[in-house]
Amino acid sequence: MNGTTVAVVLASLLMLTLGGCATAPDRELSKVESPYAALVTGARPLKPDELIIKKGEVSSSGQDLIRYYEGVRGHALNILILSGGGQNGAFGAGLLKGWQESGTRPEFDMVTGVSTGALLATHAFLGTPADDAVVEEIFTAVSSDNIFNQRGVLTVLGGAVSLLDTDPLKALIAKHITAEVLERVAAEHAKGRRLWVGTTNLDYNQTWAWNLGKIAEDGGPGALDLYRKVLRASSAFPIMFPPVEIDGHLFADGAVRANLLVLGLSGAEAPGKPMFGPGKIFVVQNGRAENRPQAVRHALIDVASATVGEMMGSSNQGLVVRSYFATQVHGYEFFTISVPDEVDIGSNPLAFDATQMRAGFDAGRELGQRGEASWSTIPPLLGDFPAWAMQILKEKL
């Protein structure tokens, strides 16, 4: 344990001991509802019994999201779902590049991302080799210094809401999410393609999905700032990174509630047969499907990272099954992929270790170059979901 870690541990213990010595002011519960946010069902966040009613978005008839977007696009959809995973986003970055190199990567009609997946999502959505180069740079040419700074003891004692300061991440997002990027996103949104990222609203205990394409299309003086804020909010790793306030709401990492953003299970009735034949849903797990047993160091950051990482990993397992369920009820094909067990990506998603990120990137690139042959067509049976339950699901659907 180094001196900085010792200092942070002592400061945290003092905070717990002293309790109210640096009490934060109370906040009012915001009743502001953003026109760009929805629940995963497509409902209004503050009125969950009402679907979003907005021209060009979701109908008010109770129509399922995927069926609605099939009508908008005029064909079966290719959907990409990018999970969280901290530094393991390097795997997804490599996968996208290798897949591009294979010549078989589709143009995605919808891209969703959470946490590190949200940082990948914009350039995965835009989809050019130049965009692949951007995410390669983000996930292989950075260190922890490009993501966060350690807070001093006095700052922590003074009532800081996180152990780390993410001004470097804010600068990194600003570097790669520019006005020109928003123009490109808006142009694709106008074609009916959709880009969503997930955040956790800490005040309402809800997952809020943000329509980044609509933010870009509407534009205006605050669009670029809002777009960047949503990305920071989605990747605000709890306890470690500070939450982000938008319209008076406090947002943290989308993976706190859902490490995958699975849209399309809305509507008053089951969706029925696909309008244009089977589409495809690709689920990228930026990490291993199941973590290896590994001794965690007795250090605050390591223990906090391992604890939150396990919470997110457990969430991920259930959501991969939910993704599979979504594909089955929509008559779609399911594909999922994760970091191979033999690849050394470490156990701390906040390490931002150059060697581990390069290993993840190279593994993803190699798998991507094989196209769909690298993907599994059934979810891994992990956690509390038994094989017999999966068999019943398959038979019923």
Side-chain angles (χ1 to χ4, degrees), residues 38-77:
L39 302 181
V40 294
T41 59
R44 296 175 60 181
L46 303 188
K47 295 182 179 180
D49 293 332
E50 298 180 17
L51 290 184
I52 297 171
I53 303 172
K54 194 173 183 68
K55 184 179 179 181
E57 290 311 309
V58 182
S59 74
S60 59
S61 64
Q63 188 177 22
D64 171 89
L65 276 174
I66 288 180
R67 290 290 175 263
Y68 176 79
Y69 286 132
E70 285 175 343
V72 171
R73 292 291 281 162
H75 58 244
L77 306 179

Side-chain angles (χ1 to χ4, degrees), residues 64-135:
D64 171 89
L65 276 174
I66 288 180
R67 290 290 175 263
Y68 176 79
Y69 286 132
E70 285 175 343
V72 171
R73 292 291 281 162
H75 58 244
L77 306 179
N78 286 304
I79 299 173
L80 178 67
I81 300 175
L82 298 162
S83 84
Q87 69 170 13
N88 300 326
F91 173 75
L95 179 76
L96 289 167
K97 182 167 185 174
W99 202 358
Q100 184 90 265
E101 292 167 340
S102 77
T104 63
R105 180 171 136 191
E107 178 182 78
F108 300 111
D109 300 281
M110 184 186 298
V111 175
T112 77
V114 171
S115 194
T116 201
L119 300 181
L120 284 166
T122 295
H123 295 286
F125 177 74
L126 294 173
T128 69
D131 291 296
D132 295 339
V134 170
V135 291

Side-chain angles (χ1 to χ4, degrees), residues 90-354:
F91 173 75
L95 179 76
L96 289 167
K97 182 167 185 174
W99 202 358
Q100 184 90 265
E101 292 167 340
S102 77
T104 63
R105 180 171 136 191
E107 178 182 78
F108 300 111
D109 300 281
M110 184 186 298
V111 175
T112 77
V114 171
S115 194
T116 201
L119 300 181
L120 284 166
T122 295
H123 295 286
F125 177 74
L126 294 173
T128 69
D131 291 296
D132 295 339
V134 170
V135 291
E136 179 176 6
E137 177 185 341
I138 292 172
F139 286 99
T140 63
V142 301
S143 68
S144 59
D145 291 339
N146 303 111
I147 307 297
F148 57 76
N149 297 316
Q150 298 271 3
R151 292 195 190 276
V153 175
L154 293 179
T155 302
V156 175
L157 284 173
V161 294
S162 65
L163 296 175
L164 303 171
D165 155 42
T166 54
D167 280 349
L169 176 61
K170 183 178 180 179
L172 184 67
I173 291 173
K175 175 183 176 182
H176 295 293
I177 301 298
T178 63
E180 186 267 339
V181 166
L182 256 66
E183 290 176 5
R184 295 174 60 208
V185 170
E188 296 306 313
H189 182 87
K191 299 174 185 177
R193 299 178 64 213
R194 292 297 179 263
L195 173 61
W196 295 83
V197 302
T199 62
T200 298
N201 187 319
L202 296 176
D203 297 325
Y204 282 86
N205 302 309
Q206 293 174 327
T207 295
W208 282 26
W210 294 81
N211 189 336
L212 293 185
K214 191 61 180 169
I215 294 174
E217 182 181 61
D218 284 355
L224 183 58
D225 182 58
L226 176 59
Y227 194 111
R228 291 169 174 172
K229 272 188 174 182
V230 170
L231 294 184
R232 282 198 293 121
S234 184
S235 54
F237 201 84
I239 302 172
M240 313 303 288
F241 292 1
V244 177
E245 188 167 321
I246 303 174
D247 292 333
H249 300 274
L250 208 58
F251 292 95
D253 197 316
V256 171
R257 285 183 58 84
N259 201 31
L260 295 168
L261 183 58
V262 184
L263 298 174
L265 293 177
S266 59
E269 300 178 357
K273 294 181 179 180
M275 297 171 66
F276 302 99
K280 296 180 179 181
I281 293 180
F282 299 93
V283 179
V284 178
Q285 301 179 65
N286 286 303
R288 295 190 185 89
E290 186 172 22
N291 290 329
R292 301 174 183 170
Q294 189 167 348
V296 177
R297 286 196 320 145
H298 276 291
L300 179 62
I301 290 178
D302 294 72
V303 171
S305 296
T307 301
V308 179
E310 177 56 30
M311 292 167 57
M312 294 177 178
S314 298
S315 163
N316 197 70
Q317 293 168 9
L319 285 162
V320 172
V321 174
R322 181 179 175 182
S323 302
Y324 179 76
F325 177 77
T327 63
Q328 299 306 296
V329 299
H330 286 92
Y332 273 36
E333 297 178 46
F334 174 85
F335 300 87
T336 188
I337 198 165
S338 59
V339 179
D341 288 342
E342 67 273 12
V343 179
D344 182 10
I345 55 172
S347 59
N348 180 0
L350 296 185
F352 296 98
D353 178 271

Side-chain angles (χ1 to χ4, degrees), residues 329-396:
V329 299
H330 286 92
Y332 273 36
E333 297 178 46
F334 174 85
F335 300 87
T336 188
I337 198 165
S338 59
V339 179
D341 288 342
E342 67 273 12
V343 179
D344 182 10
I345 55 172
S347 59
N348 180 0
L350 296 185
F352 296 98
D353 178 271
T355 301
Q356 293 169 357
M357 287 191 292
R358 175 51 68 178
F361 181 89
D362 290 345
R365 184 176 183 181
E366 181 180 347
L367 291 173
Q369 289 169 341
R370 302 178 198 168
E372 291 181 7
S374 297
W375 299 70
S376 173
T377 56
I378 58 172
L381 296 178
L382 303 170
D384 299 326
F385 200 87
W388 59 262
M390 178 61 70
Q391 186 60 37
I392 290 175
L393 178 63
K394 292 171 68 175
E395 291 172 357
K396 293 295 184 182

